Amino acid sequence: DAGVTQSPTHLIKTRGQQVTLRCSPKSGHDTVSWYQQALGQGPQFIFQYYEEEERQRGNFPDRFSGHQFPNYSSELNVNALLLGDSALYLCASSRLAGVVDTQYFGPGTRLTVL
Amino acid sequence: AQKVTQAQTEISVVEKEDVTLDCVYETRDTTYYLFWYKQPPSGELVFLIRRNSFDEQNEISGRYSWNFQKSTSSFNFTITASQVVDSAVYFCALSEAGSGTYKYIFGTGTRLKVLA
C-alpha cells in the first residue's frame, strides 16, 4: 500500500519564478492538505482540497494556489517566488473531509529560492 | 484562538534513559483532536497517535506512552528506555472539530537527541 508521494524531492528556483509541486495521496484517501515548514519551525497550514475544490485556507497570500484532480492527486503552485518561500513543503492526505481524520504526510519537497 | 506550545526546544538523553516531551494546547472548542508526529532527518512526518477530547485515558504502545490531562491542557509523550533510533524532532498538533475547521495547528517541535 503506497503512502503519500511527492515530487520533486528538491527544487532550486530564483526570485520571481513560479513553481509547481505535486502530491499523490495515500490509497483510499480523497482529501489533500498542504503545509509549509520553515527551518526550525512546525508545519503551517496552507490549504486543503476536497472534491477538486479548496475547502479551507490558511494565512497565505494569493501567490499560493492549488488544484486537485479527479484521481485526488494535487498540485501546489507558488508564483512570484520570494526568498522567504524557501521551506519544506509537505503534503498530507486523509479520508472523510467531513470529520477530523488523521493526516498522513509525504516526504516533502524542499524548495530553495535564491 | 488555537495554539500548541512545546516549550522544550531540544533534549539530550543517554540511551536507555526515559524522556518526556511536553505539549500544552489552547482551544475554545469542546471537541478537538490531539496528535503526535515524529520527523526523522528524512523530513517525513510519521504519525504516532491521535486522541480526541472526550477520551482522557492514557495510552501505551510499546516503549511509548501518552498522558492526556484536560485540566492542565496537556498531552505529554514519554519514551521509556530511549534508543538512538528515537532521535528525531517530535511535533504535537491540535485540530478543532467543532468550529468546522480541519487544519492541524502544530507546535514548534522538540528535537530529541539520544546518545549511545
Side-chain angles (χ1 to χ4, degrees), chain A residues 35 37 55-56 100-101 103, chain B residues 37 39 50 101-102 104:
Chain A
Y35 292 81
Q37 185 180 15
R55 284 178 52 85
Q56 189 176 18
V100 177
D101 193 36
Q103 295 183 8
Chain B
Y37 285 85
Q39 188 174 44
R50 161 197 172 100
T101 176
Y102 307 109
Y104 286 18

Side-chain angles (χ1 to χ4, degrees), chain B residues 11-115:
Chain B
I11 300 175
S12 292
V13 298
V14 176
E15 204 169 21
K16 298 184 182 177
E17 284 186 359
D18 298 347
V19 58
T20 295
L21 309 182
D22 297 334
C23 172
V24 175
Y25 62 92
E26 293 177 30
T27 178
R28 296 176 184 170
D29 217 336
T30 56
T31 305
Y32 53 90
Y33 294 80
L34 296 164
F35 304 82
W36 275 96
Y37 285 85
K38 174 182 180 180
Q39 188 174 44
S42 62
E44 180 172 348
L45 284 169
V46 178
F47 167 71
L48 297 177
I49 191 172
R50 161 197 172 100
R51 239 335 167 232
N52 73 56
S53 52
F54 300 109
D55 182 3
E56 287 193 72
Q57 273 194 322
N58 292 331
E59 181 157 338
I60 298 174
S61 176
R63 296 184 297 106
Y64 295 171
S65 62
W66 291 269
N67 183 354
F68 177 28
Q69 290 193 340
K70 287 179 73 171
S71 61
T72 56
S73 296
S74 64
F75 186 43
N76 297 337
F77 173 31
T78 297
I79 301 175
T80 302
S82 59
Q83 300 177 1
V84 173
V85 293
D86 295 327
S87 297
V89 181
Y90 290 85
F91 289 96
C92 180
L94 162 72
S95 186
E96 296 175 336
S99 57
T101 176
Y102 307 109
K103 64 181 179 181
Y104 286 18
I105 300 296
F106 285 85
T108 51
T110 296
R111 180 176 299 277
L112 174 64
K113 292 184 178 180
V114 182
L115 308 173

Side-chain angles (χ1 to χ4, degrees), chain A residues 94-112:
Chain A
S94 55
R95 302 169 301 170
L96 302 174
V99 298
V100 177
D101 193 36
T102 299
Q103 295 183 8
Y104 292 88
F105 287 79
T109 293
R110 186 162 297 283
L111 172 65
T112 301

